[in-house]
Amino acid sequence: MDFGSLFSFNTVTVAFVVVLLILLVSRTLQWPANVPPGPSGYPIIGSMPLLRKGNVLETFRKLRAQYGDVFSLKIGPNLNVVINGKEALREAFVKRGEEFSDRPGGFMTENIFHSKGIGFSSGEHWKQTRTFSLSTLRNFGFGKKSLESRVQEEIEAYLKFIEKQEGQPYDMKKITTIAISNIICSITFGNRFEYTDAKFKRLTSLFAENFRLLSVGGALRSFPGVRFLPGDMFNVKKLIQNFADIKSFVFEQIAEHRKTYEEENQRDFVDAFLRQQIKHGEDDPIFEDMNLTTSVMNLFGAGTDTTATIIRWAIIYLIHNKPIQDKLRQEIESVVGTSRLPSLGDKPSMPYYEAFITEVLRMGNIAPLSVPHGALKDIHFRGMIIPKGSLIIQNLDSVMTDPDLFENPDKFQPERFLGKDGQMNGKERTVMAFSLGRRICLGESLARLELFLFLTSLLQRFEFFPESPDKLPSFDATLGLVRASKDYKCCAVKLK
């Protein structure tokens, strides 16, 4: 690097730091004295080092023990308020949902998602978009038996692919993600993609990578200016480019739908949106292309990597708990048999499966911090003030691992959800796997349908073993936007 380049680099860096310091001081001076308590942090970066070292969830548990159910962290110029525990979470996000249901501002919301779609809009725009999306998804099968055939069609292809591995060690991560994504495709675009389709495989990998790169203390959320620094130390430019590539794919699908649109033949979510766009005009703030594009991205993001991640956690627990795997298979054999695929009609007769997947949802804990909310105005809560502009975090992990709610919470024990009569005992309602309140996951009914049909079909057809007897898959996880298991291989041996 020559002297001129070095001088330019140093000038940019110093200017960046100075601007951050000014922002930090000015924002801090605006906060009232009674903000939720928390660590003081360091100049400029605040408490970011706490989120960078070790386990973020363990850090939050310690901070909760020190500061209470509502504490705050200063990260750069932003105040992050973390709400913990069953009671505080319900008080904020259910009883006072009107105040706590907005999304935060910032670069991610405003520049990547343009404050649109189901996941990143607020206020009346969000309400109208969510209402349209939910009614449309229901028309195409959400929460209904009519969706079952689409899922079973995908399962048939999925099982055949796994069978081709002939019981050899194989990482099921990519194929599971593609299979789950195909179901969203059939609802959104009206068709599925072949597992070998290069463009579709890249789309699913881009979503997976972004889920990994996004985190509660991510540089882009806290310091959006880092995208202007030379290089890409924080993977910010990578994240932005990934989203641009995903948008291009969605734009292509919308353009193709517009060419082949027929009023009397509503094929999918995109067609239903275009129908409303024609009815209301393209200048309508709800039925315009960017809101459609962002909504489709939200559906893919919420409905693909999350469910695939739960299935991967389920297989880990099956491998580590052979007696549980055998018991589940016995229930499938007694209720379903082997001559047909499991169906939703079998579910009421399979309580042990329901208990098993509930325990996977609890211990897999794939969205422990949900998606951040934002304070669009000052919020008075439990004698404190959450200042306007604060980022609000739902710490669902504080419920999933609460020993007062779940005895021996570190132990995998499906029986905790069963009563003496062998039926679900009601404790499953405490497992907040799909968040809570007005922003509860739109795709919960689809996810539960997929989990039932995929996992029962897998256990009906295969027995799961580790890659080798001395190489069990790890319980270690990586925490991005989802809490994902480390990559692992397993052997899916076809049953005779």
Side-chain angles (χ1 to χ4, degrees):
M1 182 181 288
D2 61 30
F3 180 78
S5 300
L6 182 63
F7 179 79
S8 176
F9 176 81
N10 287 338
T11 302
V12 171
T13 304
V14 170
F16 178 69
V17 171
V18 169
V19 171
L20 276 181
L21 188 57
I22 293 170
L23 282 171
L24 177 66
V25 173
S26 63
R27 286 290 294 275
T28 303
L29 290 174
Q30 294 172 17
W31 293 336
N34 59 334
V35 298
S40 55
Y42 299 94
I44 301 179
I45 59 175
S47 295
M48 183 172 278
L50 282 175
L51 306 183
R52 288 287 179 184
K53 66 176 184 179
N55 186 324
V56 171
L57 302 180
E58 185 60 37
T59 298
F60 279 8
R61 289 168 202 157
K62 292 177 181 177
L63 291 173
R64 181 191 181 192
Q66 183 176 357
Y67 296 107
D69 283 348
V70 184
F71 63 82
S72 66
L73 292 163
K74 300 174 182 70
I75 302 180
N78 303 318
L79 188 70
N80 291 244
V81 176
V82 185
I83 299 181
N84 306 265
K86 176 184 171 184
E87 298 307 320
L89 284 164
R90 290 197 181 281
E91 182 180 343
F93 298 100
V94 178
K95 294 179 182 177
R96 298 179 59 179
E98 184 70 31
E99 296 169 275
F100 283 87
S101 293
D102 291 313
R103 285 290 184 237
F107 182 84
M108 283 289 299
T109 299
E110 294 164 9
N111 294 71
I112 291 181
F113 296 108
H114 307 279
S115 299
K116 296 182 184 296
I118 308 161
F120 291 90
S121 57
S122 296
E124 191 60 30
H125 191 285
W126 167 67
K127 291 176 184 176
Q128 290 188 43
T129 303
R130 181 182 171 88
T131 298
F132 164 79
S133 300
L134 191 56
S135 64
T136 301
L137 292 171
R138 282 174 178 161
N139 289 340
F140 288 104
F142 261 45
K144 297 179 181 179
K145 189 174 173 58
S146 58
L147 186 57
E148 183 175 6
S149 60
R150 295 193 192 201
V151 177
Q152 287 180 324
E153 176 190 357
E154 194 60 45
I155 287 172
E156 289 278 15
Y158 178 67
L159 296 177
K160 286 178 183 176
F161 188 94
I162 294 171
E163 192 173 323
K164 288 178 182 178
Q165 310 312 312
E166 298 181 337
Q168 296 302 305
Y170 179 69
D171 186 345
M172 294 171 59
K173 180 178 180 178
K174 288 185 178 179
I175 192 63
T176 303
T177 302
I178 290 172
I180 296 296
S181 187
N182 251 337
I183 295 166
I184 287 289
C185 273
S186 70
I187 297 167
T188 309
F189 300 137
N191 63 278
R192 64 181 297 278
F193 292 84
E194 292 300 322
Y195 293 162
T196 54
D197 188 294
K199 187 176 288 189
F200 184 58
K201 286 169 71 175
R202 173 159 170 74
L203 176 72
T204 57
S205 68
L206 288 174
F207 271 111
E209 185 171 43
N210 281 3
F211 267 83
R212 179 178 58 81
L213 294 176
L214 286 166
S215 64
V216 65
L220 185 58
R221 180 176 291 138
S222 306
F223 304 108
V226 298
R227 68 191 189 279
F228 299 119
L229 290 175
D232 195 19
M233 183 187 304
F234 301 101
N235 291 311
V236 169
K237 292 172 184 173
K238 177 67 175 171
L239 194 69
I240 292 171
Q241 183 59 54
N242 284 355
F243 275 119
D245 291 346
I246 291 169
K247 284 180 185 177
S248 295
F249 179 89
V250 177
F251 287 154
E252 287 178 17
Q253 295 295 320
I254 294 171
E256 185 61 33
H257 272 66
R258 195 167 268 130
K259 289 179 187 175
T260 58
Y261 176 81
E262 295 176 356
E263 171 68 24
E264 65 279 5
N265 180 26
Q266 298 292 291
R267 299 165 293 185
D268 46 48
F269 183 88
V270 173
D271 272 358
F273 194 101
L274 293 178
R275 183 180 194 176
Q276 293 300 316
Q277 189 178 80
I278 293 168
K279 179 180 178 182
H280 290 86
E282 293 187 23
D283 293 332
D284 186 278
I286 304 300
F287 298 105
E288 49 89 31
D289 279 4
M290 187 53 69
N291 201 32
L292 172 55
T293 301
T294 308
S295 295
V296 169
M297 290 170 65
N298 295 160
L299 289 173
F300 266 93
T304 296
D305 211 60
T306 48
T307 305
T309 298
I310 296 170
I311 290 174
R312 284 172 48 76
W313 276 117
I315 292 171
I316 289 177
Y317 288 112
L318 289 170
I319 291 172
H320 277 268
N321 298 275
K322 187 66 164 54
I324 291 176
Q325 184 178 164
D326 292 341
K327 190 172 180 178
L328 285 163
R329 192 172 292 107
Q330 289 167 11
E331 186 177 64
I332 294 165
E333 288 174 356
S334 65
V335 175
V336 183
T338 57
S339 61
R340 63 173 176 84
L341 284 174
S343 69
L344 280 181
D346 301 315
K347 193 173 181 179
S349 303
M350 300 175 68
Y352 192 70
Y353 161 80
E354 192 68 19
F356 166 74
I357 196 58
T358 303
E359 185 70 335
V360 173
L361 289 169
R362 186 187 72 82
M363 286 201 69
N365 196 12
I366 70 155
L369 304 176
S370 191
V371 179
H373 292 226
L376 297 192
K377 61 181 180 180
D378 287 354
I379 300 174
H380 295 259
F381 186 67
R382 293 193 165 191
M384 296 167 279
I385 293 181
I386 300 174
K388 177 182 177 181
S390 298
L391 185 139
I392 304 171
I393 298 170
Q394 295 178 327
N395 187 7
L396 306 181
D397 173 75
S398 65
V399 175
M400 304 294 216
T401 59
D402 188 342
D404 293 332
L405 297 173
F406 306 106
E407 187 178 355
N408 299 319
D410 294 332
K411 184 178 180 181
F412 188 82
Q413 189 178 339
E415 289 79 9
R416 71 174 77 245
F417 297 106
L418 296 173
K420 292 180 180 179
D421 60 355
Q423 301 300 310
M424 299 296 284
N425 59 17
K427 287 185 180 179
E428 70 275 9
R429 290 190 288 273
T430 308
V431 177
M432 299 177 178
F434 297 93
S435 191
L436 75 165
R438 298 185 181 193
R439 290 274 185 178
I440 194 167
C441 178
L442 195 70
E444 179 178 355
S445 63
L446 174 61
R448 290 189 180 278
L449 181 152
E450 290 170 334
L451 290 172
F452 177 78
L453 295 178
F454 268 81
L455 288 171
T456 51
S457 298
L458 282 169
L459 283 169
Q460 181 192 50
R461 189 76 59 92
F462 302 102
E463 190 168 4
F464 289 92
F465 297 96
E467 180 179 357
S468 63
D470 59 345
K471 197 171 183 180
L472 289 167
S474 172
F475 290 122
D476 291 341
T478 56
L479 182 60
L481 203 57
V482 298
R483 180 178 174 272
S485 64
K486 296 290 183 70
D487 289 349
Y488 66 90
K489 291 181 180 179
C490 67
C491 300
V493 178
K494 188 177 179 182
L495 294 164
K496 295 181 181 178

